[in-house]
Amino acid sequence: FVGLVPFNEDAADRFFGRDADLRSALARFERSPSLCLIGPSGVGKSSFVHAGLVPTLKRQGWSAIALRPGRNPLQSLASAAQALIGTRNIAASRALARRFRDEPRAFSELVDGHLRTTGETLSVVVDQLEELLTLTNDSGEQRAFTRALLQAAEHESIRCVASIRSDYVDRLAVDREFLERASPGLQFLAPPDRDGLRAALTEPVQALGYAFEPAAVVERLLDELDGNPGALPLLQFIGDELWDGRNPTRQTLGDRGGQETTIAEALARHGDGVVAGLPSAARPLVRTVCRRHVTPERTRDVVPLADIEELAEDSDQARLV
């Protein structure tokens, strides 16, 4: 189990419970130049993209570049383009970002030129597209970024895939053409249903020859997760906890010592343990750092380490936290 971090491509063989969503996404991908996955926070969009969709596309012959907009969307786009063509030069990347701002079509021309040479087809994957709206206030940069994606999707050899929180979709209307062109490829990603969650919990365990004991623990956990939009990461967390306490002799895992533990209790215990593991002088900084990583709009913020160091008198302490 991956715990509280999203699935990545390396964990694709442990990603279960989204088969129907994956079939639907692939169908949209085939008939539309763009695919936009929308869903509530915590539903597992990033995991679905990186561990479900991208590996499947690669098996079908597509190559992929992935990025998050972050605070500098055009810089992110330039870095992704450089990774595709096999160059890594910071100065050239910054110059390329400036060029994309002045000439949004330059991104698609650069990529298409590379694809013509290699004979490949490419999916451009933009995860957490809401960062374009929450971390960037420069309307010129926002529009240049969406222009670059639109023009890339005009090429037969390029498809664009994006994921975005559902409560930010209406704000894409700042670029009406982008929203209209993306609309045919919109797919709502709902929380996994009970069968999907059961598969996500049991199939990675079964693949290694293990089983839950008692078997009822699976249904109890699913009952606790019922209706929770953040069910998938919580399930991965409690699965990781139970796996750590497995019985390798019997090849079983379940409630430790026969004591039932709720997911909320396990998560609270984990959080307390992380904080308790810090030096006492560093603990008050935890609240400040956690708040700094959330925007006023209740989305995650990307914070440079240097900014975190400025929050504390001791930079070593800040880095530890």
Side-chain angles (χ1 to χ4, degrees), residues 10-160:
D10 292 338
D13 61 340
R14 293 178 280 159
F15 185 72
F16 294 96
R18 287 289 196 181
D19 291 351
D21 294 311
L22 185 56
R23 288 193 297 270
S24 180
L26 290 171
R28 281 182 169 84
F29 183 87
E30 287 299 323
R31 63 175 181 260
S32 174
S34 61
L35 169 66
C36 190
L37 298 160
I38 62 175
S41 177
V43 78
K45 297 183 293 298
S46 294
S47 294
F48 179 78
V49 167
H50 294 295
L53 184 60
V54 168
T56 303
L57 291 176
K58 287 186 174 181
R59 287 195 295 271
Q60 295 181 354
W62 289 80
S63 57
I65 54 174
L67 65 137
R68 283 170 47 180
R71 292 185 175 276
N72 305 107
L74 294 177
Q75 183 63 63
S76 298
L77 197 62
S79 297
Q82 280 197 320
L84 175 69
I85 62 181
T87 61
R88 297 277 187 175
N89 183 288
I90 295 176
S93 179
R94 290 172 178 167
L96 197 57
R98 291 192 295 269
R99 183 184 170 197
F100 289 168
R101 183 176 183 120
D102 297 333
E103 309 169 53
R105 188 175 295 278
F107 171 71
S108 60
E109 291 174 347
L110 177 67
V111 170
D112 187 59
H114 173 78
L115 297 176
R116 289 180 185 276
T117 301
T118 62
E120 296 178 318
T121 51
L122 177 73
S123 53
V124 180
V125 180
V126 183
D127 192 18
Q128 298 177 42
L129 183 60
E130 67 270 11
E131 290 184 352
L132 184 67
L133 307 170
T134 61
L135 300 184
T136 309
N137 295 320
D138 186 334
S139 59
E141 177 137 357
Q142 291 171 338
R143 186 169 179 80
F145 186 85
T146 55
R147 294 293 97 185
L149 295 181
L150 284 177
Q151 288 159 8
E154 291 177 356
H155 293 262
E156 292 184 2
S157 57
I158 304 174
R159 292 281 193 279
C160 292

Side-chain angles (χ1 to χ4, degrees), residues 248-263:
T249 303
R250 294 170 56 87
Q251 290 194 294
T252 59
L253 65 160
D255 292 318
R256 296 181 180 180
Q259 300 296 314
E260 290 190 356
T261 300
T262 69
I263 298 174

Side-chain angles (χ1 to χ4, degrees), residues 123-300:
S123 53
V124 180
V125 180
V126 183
D127 192 18
Q128 298 177 42
L129 183 60
E130 67 270 11
E131 290 184 352
L132 184 67
L133 307 170
T134 61
L135 300 184
T136 309
N137 295 320
D138 186 334
S139 59
E141 177 137 357
Q142 291 171 338
R143 186 169 179 80
F145 186 85
T146 55
R147 294 293 97 185
L149 295 181
L150 284 177
Q151 288 159 8
E154 291 177 356
H155 293 262
E156 292 184 2
S157 57
I158 304 174
R159 292 281 193 279
C160 292
V161 178
S163 69
I164 185 171
R165 274 177 46 167
S166 49
D167 48 344
Y168 281 87
V169 173
D170 60 329
R171 288 181 54 181
L172 289 177
V174 296
D175 186 339
R176 188 170 297 278
E177 182 184 357
F178 180 79
L179 185 58
E180 289 176 354
R181 299 253 309 262
S183 294
L186 287 180
Q187 176 177 338
F188 186 80
L189 196 65
D193 60 17
R194 191 179 183 93
D195 287 340
L197 289 174
R198 184 183 293 106
L201 184 61
T202 60
E203 292 191 29
V205 170
Q206 291 169 356
L208 295 176
Y210 277 71
F212 282 90
E213 188 179 275
V217 70
V218 172
E219 300 307 316
R220 178 176 63 78
L221 292 174
L222 295 181
D223 287 342
E224 190 177 348
L225 291 169
D226 186 42
N228 191 319
L232 188 57
L234 290 173
L235 179 146
Q236 288 294 316
F237 166 74
I238 194 63
D240 196 37
E241 289 276 295
L242 294 174
W243 179 255
D244 284 346
R246 67 191 179 280
N247 185 326
T249 303
R250 294 170 56 87
Q251 290 194 294
T252 59
L253 65 160
D255 292 318
R256 296 181 180 180
Q259 300 296 314
E260 290 190 356
T261 300
T262 69
I263 298 174
E265 289 169 347
L267 190 59
R269 185 171 60 245
H270 171 75
D272 289 343
V274 170
V275 176
L278 294 169
S280 58
R283 294 173 195 167
L285 186 59
V286 172
R287 182 188 300 272
T288 302
V289 170
C290 287
R291 285 178 168 171
R292 185 64 183 81
H293 278 83
V294 181
T295 71
E297 297 171 302
R298 300 179 65 83
T299 62
R300 76 188 70 196

